[in-house]
């Protein structure tokens, strides 16, 4: 089995909803559930040894548009969120992550040594990530507290605008060049993340925001759960020029399992072949090199191919990549080692 460290999942969102519905999210993770994609038993079955676990604040007003007769759709950006309730939800989710650690369900990791140790012990290695920074104010005081608690990665925006920058909509066909990039506060956030050793995720930001981060941050460029725009023309996917910049900075892109970002028609259809996942990997490897490509499933946040279904099916993608000609060393890089390299550099463990 090829152990996988995954660049993005929304398991905390699902477990937080479990908590709000009056059930026990810790028991759900420890003993399994038929719902969603990730829990302890399914992670072990599929070799999912850990990943970046997102603190995401839901947008209640966002309703994804159905495709028109041509298969096109454009969902307007979700409305901006207020800071105070966003902070409250973020704290609830971080507290849940700590409860899971105390119960032995997973281990919160703050270094690559922590990740490797958890993997060796057979414990899910959770790196806390913040997807959209509505919980952080312009003076960044909350960032200091979240970092002290264990936050090691963040995306300045989700697919909505906030005080730090602008997000891309869920739309097809459309390029990621959909609006402005970072605000003045966003530039200060990026500089603070570089100082503190917090990874900056570009998965949901506009193309202009991508270039703003590229010229401001000194760290590798990271798109934790994005695919190839040339193959699937959704606004969330990366252009060739963006991938060239990631290659030049020795950064990383994690393959998103979301079928809407894999299929040429961008439809939300689970009957999606693993061949399309391999095709996106092949394209990224050819464009950026094997060292800059990894996995970023978006488990518990998207529809994934029915042949994978959930975390227990992860090895089916590994087998498909092996059948496509990827050697053992390449599989190790794609599945975990490229994430270890990039995170180690951002966290100042290596230069």
């Amino acid at each position: 089995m090829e152990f996988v460290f995954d660049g993005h999942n929304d398991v905390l969102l699902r477990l937080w909803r479990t908590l709000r519905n009056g059930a026990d999210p810790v028991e759900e993770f420890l003993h399994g559930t038929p719902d969603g994609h990730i829990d302890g038993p399914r992670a072990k079955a599929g070799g999912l040894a850990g990943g970046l676990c997102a603190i995401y604040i839901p947008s209640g007003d966002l309703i994804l548009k159905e495709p028109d007769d041509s298969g096109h759709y454009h969902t307007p950006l979700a409305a901006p969120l207020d800071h105070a309730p966003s902070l409250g939800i973020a704290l609830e989710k971080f507290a849940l992550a700590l409860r899971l650690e105390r119960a032995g369900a997973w281990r919160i990791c703050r270094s690559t040594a922590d990740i490797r140790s958890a993997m060796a012990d057979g414990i899910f290695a959770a790196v806390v990530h913040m997807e959209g920074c509505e919980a952080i104010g312009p003076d960044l005081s909350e960032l200091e507290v979240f970092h002290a608690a264990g936050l090691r990665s963040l995306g300045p925006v989700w697919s909505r605008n906030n005080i730090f920058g602008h997000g891309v909509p869920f739309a097809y066909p459309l390029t990621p060049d959909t609006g402005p990039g970072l605000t003045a506060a966003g530039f200060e956030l990026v500089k603070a993340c570089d100082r503190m050793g917090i990874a900056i995720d570009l998965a949901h930001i506009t193309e202009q925001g991508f270039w703003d981060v590229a010229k401001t941050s000194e760290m590798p460029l990271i798109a934790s759960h994005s695919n190839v725009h040339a193959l699937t023309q959704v606004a969330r996917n990366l252009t060739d020029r963006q991938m060239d910049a990631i290659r030049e900075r020795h950064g990383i892109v994690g393959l998103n399992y979301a079928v809407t970002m894999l299929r040429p028609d961008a439809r939300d259809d689970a009957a999606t072949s693993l061949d399309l996942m391999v095709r996106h990997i092949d394209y990224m490897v050819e464009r950026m090199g094997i060292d800059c490509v990894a996995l970023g499933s978006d488990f518990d946040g998207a529809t994934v191919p029915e042949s994978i279904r959930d975390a227990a099916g992860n090895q089916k993608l590994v087998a498909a990549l092996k059948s496509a000609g990827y050697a053992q060393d390449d599989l190790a890089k794609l599945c975990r080692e490229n994430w270890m390299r990039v995170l180690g550099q951002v966290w100042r463990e290596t230069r």
Side-chain angles (χ1 to χ4, degrees):
M1 182 179 291
E2 196 69 50
F3 290 115
V4 171
F5 182 85
D6 182 53
H8 186 86
N9 69 70
D10 284 293
V11 68
L12 277 173
L13 173 64
R14 196 194 80 231
L15 295 175
W16 173 77
R17 286 173 169 159
T18 296
L19 178 64
R20 289 215 158 184
N21 288 332
D24 188 340
V26 175
E27 288 297 306
E28 179 177 305
F29 190 90
L30 280 170
H31 301 297
T33 173
D35 301 325
H37 295 140
I38 296 177
D39 53 40
R42 287 182 290 179
K44 284 186 181 297
L48 181 61
L52 276 77
C53 301
I55 292 175
Y56 160 73
I57 313 303
S59 279
D61 66 323
L62 183 69
I63 300 175
L64 297 177
K65 294 289 187 181
E66 291 294 326
D68 62 20
D69 292 341
S70 300
H72 299 175
Y73 57 87
H74 191 296
T75 301
L77 288 174
L81 300 178
D82 292 334
H83 173 254
S86 298
L87 176 58
I89 291 172
L91 289 172
E92 289 176 10
K93 291 189 176 182
F94 216 127
L96 176 55
L98 293 168
R99 282 182 57 192
L100 287 161
E101 181 172 57
R102 287 195 300 271
W106 68 18
R107 188 177 298 165
I108 295 176
C109 297
R110 299 164 175 82
S111 67
T112 58
D114 286 350
I115 295 170
R116 293 191 187 281
S117 176
M119 291 170 64
D121 292 341
I123 300 173
F124 190 91
V127 174
V128 180
H129 167 81
M130 185 170 285
E131 187 175 28
C133 290
E134 287 83 2
I136 297 172
D139 69 353
L140 305 182
S141 58
E142 295 90 349
L143 181 65
E144 299 278 354
V145 176
F146 280 119
H147 179 261
L151 182 73
R152 290 298 180 269
S153 174
L154 62 78
V157 299
W158 183 66
S159 286
R160 61 186 169 227
N161 302 333
N162 62 25
I163 64 170
F164 299 111
H166 297 79
V168 292
F170 296 98
Y172 167 83
L174 192 68
T175 76
D177 186 16
T178 60
L182 294 177
T183 64
F187 283 104
E188 293 306 311
L189 174 67
V190 170
K191 294 173 186 175
C193 287
D194 269 17
R195 288 195 304 271
M196 299 169 69
I198 299 174
I200 302 164
D201 182 16
L202 302 166
H204 281 271
I205 204 164
T206 61
E207 186 172 2
Q208 182 57 54
F210 178 100
W211 299 118
D212 287 344
V213 172
K215 73 182 182 184
T216 306
S217 174
E218 298 178 354
M219 295 299 175
L221 300 177
I222 297 169
S224 69
H225 56 304
S226 299
N227 294 338
V228 177
H229 191 270
L231 300 179
T232 305
Q233 295 178 6
V234 295
R236 277 271 286 104
N237 279 345
L238 298 167
T239 66
D240 287 354
R241 184 167 171 246
Q242 287 175 300
M243 286 188 286
D244 290 345
I246 291 169
R247 181 197 67 232
E248 290 166 8
R249 294 281 285 273
H250 212 201
I252 197 167
V253 180
L255 177 80
N256 195 322
Y257 296 10
V259 296
T260 55
M261 297 175 66
L262 291 167
R263 297 173 60 91
D265 61 8
R267 288 188 176 272
D268 191 19
D269 184 355
T272 295
S273 170
L274 293 181
D275 292 343
L276 291 178
M277 304 180 81
V278 175
R279 187 181 180 202
H280 279 263
I281 290 279
D282 286 344
Y283 191 107
M284 290 192 285
V285 169
E286 183 176 352
R287 192 85 195 184
M288 297 184 292
I290 191 68
D291 292 339
C292 295
V293 185
L295 304 180
S297 68
D298 211 359
F299 278 147
D300 282 317
T303 302
V304 305
E306 60 187 5
S307 56
I308 290 182
R309 187 175 178 179
D310 55 30
N314 233 7
Q315 294 301 309
K316 294 180 180 179
L317 174 58
V318 176
L321 290 168
K322 188 173 183 179
S323 295
Y326 287 92
Q328 198 65 38
D329 287 349
D330 292 338
L331 290 173
K333 289 182 176 184
L334 293 172
C335 289
R336 61 186 178 278
E337 294 304 322
N338 288 342
W339 274 118
M340 297 302 100
R341 174 187 61 79
V342 168
L343 293 176
Q345 185 172 345
V346 173
W347 296 342
R348 293 188 174 84
E349 299 169 1
T350 58
R351 290 290 182 181

